[in-house]
């Protein structure tokens, strides 16, 4: 149900106000381990490429699109207040309980080792940034962006497995509408929450891979390691890749996907008014 997902976004956008966030109970510190890192962004913005780059760093472990945060959201939805209202009054013990659910889910996919950092990559967890911050206020977010026209075109042309969010990609109009709703929610999160985030533009990444990778490592507080540049061979060794970009990340870096939308400009004309604010804001 494409509209069910849109309603969830609308509820979050209406709920996250400065006054509501100010009413929250304190979040206890995360003792004994580093906060997770979250790789988020609208689908088809380069998250898979970036995840394989990050996986090359010896201090980083990555999780590729697994239901970690969704397990936490499912648990909160059983609370009497429901989600997202329950976020406001969480007692410290309940926050620790939710964190344990998250880490149990993580441990199903990676072996966490002392001193390692791990990156939880799930593009549409951008919608759950408020929930993530509630549990992990020191978490760092890596946010991928790409020209909105290329994003919507690519989502429309991609054969996704269908669920509520992906059901919005059967037309360019629905794709653009979902993009706008998601990006408006992200804007709201940035206004009301002190999110620690770093933006990576897909176009800049493919133009200057090393430069963008170095800036990202600096944001993460990690020393530079040239192993991150060997993403293609690493992707081949991994075997099955869980995302629609499986065939692309095993190739050397290429630029042919940049501004692909221009060849379809006439078809995109009906959605340009929807996308125009984000094209301007992102500097395209």
């Amino acid at each position: 149900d494409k509209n069910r997902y849109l309603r969830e976004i609308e509820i979050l956008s209406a709920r996250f106000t400065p006054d509501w966030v100010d009413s929250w109970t304190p979040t206890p510190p995360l003792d004994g381990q580093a906060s997770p890192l979250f790789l988020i962004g609208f689908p088809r913005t380069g998250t898979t490429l970036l995840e394989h780059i990050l996986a090359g760093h010896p201090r980083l472990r990555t999780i590729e699109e697994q239901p970690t945060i969704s397990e936490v959201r499912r648990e909160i939805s059983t609370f009497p207040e429901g989600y997202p209202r329950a976020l406001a009054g969480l007692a410290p013990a309940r926050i620790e309980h939710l964190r344990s659910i998250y880490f149990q889910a993580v441990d199903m996919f990676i072996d966490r080792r002392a001193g390692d950092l791990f990156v939880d990559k799930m593009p549409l967890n951008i919608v759950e940034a408020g929930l993530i911050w509630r549990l992990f206020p020191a978490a760092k977010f890596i946010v991928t962006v790409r020209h909105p026209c290329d994003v919507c075109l690519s989502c429309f042309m991609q054969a996704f497995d269908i669920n509520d969010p992906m059901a919005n990609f059967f037309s360019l109009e629905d794709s653009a509408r979902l993009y706008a709703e998601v990006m408006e929610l992200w804007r709201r999160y940035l206004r009301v929450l002190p999110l620690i985030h770093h933006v990576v533009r897909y176009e800049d990444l493919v133009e200057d891979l090393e430069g963008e990778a170095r800036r990202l490592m600096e944001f993460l507080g990690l020393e530079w390691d040239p192993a991150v540049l060997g993403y293609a061979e690493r992707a081949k060794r991994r075997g099955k890749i869980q995302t629609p970009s499986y065939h692309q990340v095993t190739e050397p870096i290429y630029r042919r996907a940049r501004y692909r939308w221009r060849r379809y400009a006439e078809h995109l004309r009906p959605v340009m008014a929807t996308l125009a604010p984000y094209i301007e804001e992102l500097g395209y």
Side-chain angles (χ1 to χ4, degrees):
D1 182 346
K2 67 180 183 181
N3 291 316
R4 179 165 51 207
Y5 191 66
L6 290 168
R7 286 194 297 271
E8 291 175 2
I9 294 172
E10 290 170 4
I11 290 169
L12 288 168
S13 189
R15 176 59 59 179
F16 272 82
T17 64
D19 287 344
W20 186 61
V21 172
D22 286 344
S23 75
W24 288 5
T25 56
T27 301
L30 183 64
D31 294 328
Q33 55 190 316
S35 292
L37 309 170
F38 293 91
L39 175 52
I40 59 175
F42 204 82
R44 309 301 292 165
T45 55
T47 54
T48 299
L49 172 59
L50 197 55
E51 185 258 329
H52 281 77
I53 291 168
L54 290 165
H57 197 284
R59 286 280 315 280
L60 291 175
R61 312 290 301 284
T62 61
I63 305 170
E64 184 188 21
E65 300 198 17
Q66 298 294 349
T68 54
I69 288 297
S70 62
E71 290 293 324
V72 178
R73 176 167 174 163
R74 187 175 296 113
E75 177 70 7
I76 297 176
S77 297
T78 68
F79 295 175
E81 307 93 326
Y83 180 76
R85 290 181 60 194
L87 292 177
L90 292 175
R94 189 162 264 187
I95 291 175
E96 295 296 349
H97 169 64
L98 294 171
R99 285 171 172 169
S100 70
I101 289 174
Y102 175 75
F103 286 121
Q104 287 169 19
V106 166
D107 289 340
M108 293 178 64
F109 305 109
I110 61 170
D111 295 322
R112 288 186 293 140
R113 300 173 300 205
D116 278 354
L117 299 173
F118 71 89
V119 180
D120 190 338
K121 176 246 185 177
M122 176 66 82
L124 280 176
N125 273 347
I126 191 171
V127 170
E128 306 297 353
L131 164 59
I132 293 169
W133 186 84
R134 181 61 163 127
L135 300 184
F136 304 109
K140 292 183 177 181
F141 293 86
I142 307 161
V143 187
T144 57
V145 299
R146 185 182 178 190
H147 194 294
C149 290
D150 274 330
V151 173
C152 292
L153 177 67
S154 186
C155 286
F156 169 62
M157 298 179 78
Q158 182 64 51
F160 289 107
D161 290 337
I162 303 305
N163 53 28
D164 285 358
M166 301 301 113
N168 286 275
F169 296 142
F170 287 115
S171 74
L172 285 171
E173 289 78 8
D174 282 350
S175 300
R177 179 187 177 191
L178 179 61
Y179 180 88
E181 294 292 338
V182 169
M183 296 308 290
E184 278 302 308
L185 178 58
W186 175 245
R187 277 176 166 180
R188 176 165 290 272
Y189 285 145
L190 291 179
R191 287 197 298 270
V192 303
L193 301 173
L195 301 179
I196 307 168
H197 71 288
H198 175 80
V199 176
V200 178
R201 286 166 51 116
Y202 170 80
E203 294 84 358
D204 296 339
L205 185 63
V206 299
E207 185 65 34
D208 181 16
L209 175 63
E210 182 173 337
E212 288 300 311
R214 284 183 179 275
R215 283 184 280 275
L216 179 55
M217 294 304 142
E218 183 178 353
F219 166 72
L220 297 177
L222 296 173
E223 292 185 0
W224 172 249
D225 193 306
V228 302
L229 303 179
Y231 72 92
E233 289 303 315
R234 191 160 46 252
K236 290 176 183 177
R237 291 195 302 269
R238 178 178 288 189
K240 183 177 181 181
I241 297 171
Q242 301 291 337
T243 77
S245 302
Y246 65 91
H247 63 291
Q248 295 165 325
V249 296
T250 58
E251 301 179 23
I253 205 80
Y254 63 83
R255 299 175 177 84
R256 63 180 180 270
R258 292 186 309 161
Y259 308 115
R260 184 187 187 193
W261 71 271
R262 290 170 177 162
R263 300 198 293 274
Y264 301 86
E266 187 63 31
H267 302 282
L268 285 158
R269 193 179 302 279
V271 303
M272 290 304 291
T274 301
L275 299 180
Y278 311 101
I279 294 171
E280 180 179 358
E281 181 175 314
L282 295 174
Y284 294 104

